[in-house]
Amino acid sequence: MRRTMTFVGVALIGIFLVAAVPALAHHAFAAAFDETKPINLQGKVTKVELVNPHSWIWIDVIGKDGKVVNWGIEGGPPSNLFRNGITKASLPVGTEIKLFGYQAKSGESKGVGVFVEYLDGRKVFMGGSAPGASGPAAAPGKP
Amino acid sequence: MSLLGFFDWLATTAGSIALHESHYAYRIVSTVHVVTLSLFVGTAAMLDLRLLGATMRSVPVSEVARRLRPWTAAGFVLMTVSGALLFYANPSPRYLNIFFRAKMAMLVLAGVNAWLFHRNVFPRAAEWDNDPVPPRRARITGGLALALWALMIVSGRMIAYDWFDCGRQPQPAIINLLEGCLTASR
């Protein structure tokens, strides 16, 4: 009986330890995104997908040649964005925003976001896998 | 309705939205999935290793199987239910993911292997129950099971790293076929 209790106790501690590891790391930054390709976009929000395991903010960016390119920028899960102040209501379609992040290694018009900047200067961190995306305090600098 | 059309619809149902927009539920479900698949594959691996003659060689195979079975079964049920919920949260992106498809293929192959074991090999286990190293057909099923479950876990982990996303064109036709990229827009 005592051994059973010990076993159950150890098992429960193990489960809680596993659960305590932030379940954020669906995939790692370096596998999909390129640290040497920082992106700095400005455009109008076309779609906000606050979904697990990663959220996506889509914006239409007008290039130098006048062509509109729809960019998809990945952020953390909905709870992280919510904590940082991004909700469906805070980013209505059509809002003009700036997005800072790193482009996908594949060269697609996709990337991972560090932060959203509103035109009035407010910054909201995107809580994903990008370096610095958890906020200024947690910014690790160049790895 | 195509399968993809069905999955697109599935993502608009209340349960799927609740899961993929959730703040906590999705994390809890994915944690349960990882913990219970460890329980399932971990205990299944012990039986497979016994079948290979690699562990518990002095314990009868039937005894190892009998003692592990409730844990393996519980792990399998919880792993499958939590896995189905994870699929339900993002049906179409998973359906259009080459690693998810590989994972399902491994699941089917591992299922066939287990079925063959229970149909052809295990019923005659009394003949070699106490053998430290079971006969070849038992070793083959054990080895196959170990390999298939390992490959299934690797494919599952790779779902998050979809190198062959349908948006990444041009891609070889075979990749587009395997990934299920039906049109340029997907």
Side-chain angles (χ1 to χ4, degrees), chain A residues 43-45 59 90-97 118:
Chain A
K44 285 198 164 72
V45 174
I59 62 171
S90 75
L91 268 184
V93 169
T95 314
E96 179 104 6
I97 55 168
Y118 290 93

Side-chain angles (χ1 to χ4, degrees), chain A residues 112-133:
Chain A
V112 65
V114 177
F115 59 85
V116 172
E117 189 177 329
Y118 290 93
L119 295 189
D120 63 9
R122 268 181 308 136
K123 280 184 189 175
V124 186
F125 287 85
M126 287 186 67
S129 60

Side-chain angles (χ1 to χ4, degrees), chain A residues 19 24-28 31 50-53 77-80 82 88 106 108 110, chain B residues 19-23 26-27 30-31 35 71 90 94 157 160-161 163 165 167-168:
Chain A
L24 311 173
H26 180 60
H27 54 217
L50 295 179
V51 298
N52 286 295
S79 50
N80 291 29
F82 179 79
K88 267 185 183 167
S106 63
E108 295 171 90
K110 280 184 181 172
Chain B
L19 269 174
H20 65 236
E21 291 191 351
S22 69
H23 288 193
Y26 188 90
R27 292 170 186 220
S30 53
T31 304
V35 172
W71 299 96
N90 301 96
R94 295 299 165 267
R157 188 67 270 259
Y161 301 87
W163 292 331
D165 186 275
R168 198 176 289 184

Side-chain angles (χ1 to χ4, degrees), chain B residues 48-49 51-52 113 117 137-147:
Chain B
D48 295 332
L49 289 170
L51 290 173
L52 286 170
N113 185 52
F117 173 72
R137 59 181 186 282
R139 296 201 304 273
I140 289 173
T141 33
L144 267 178
L146 273 180

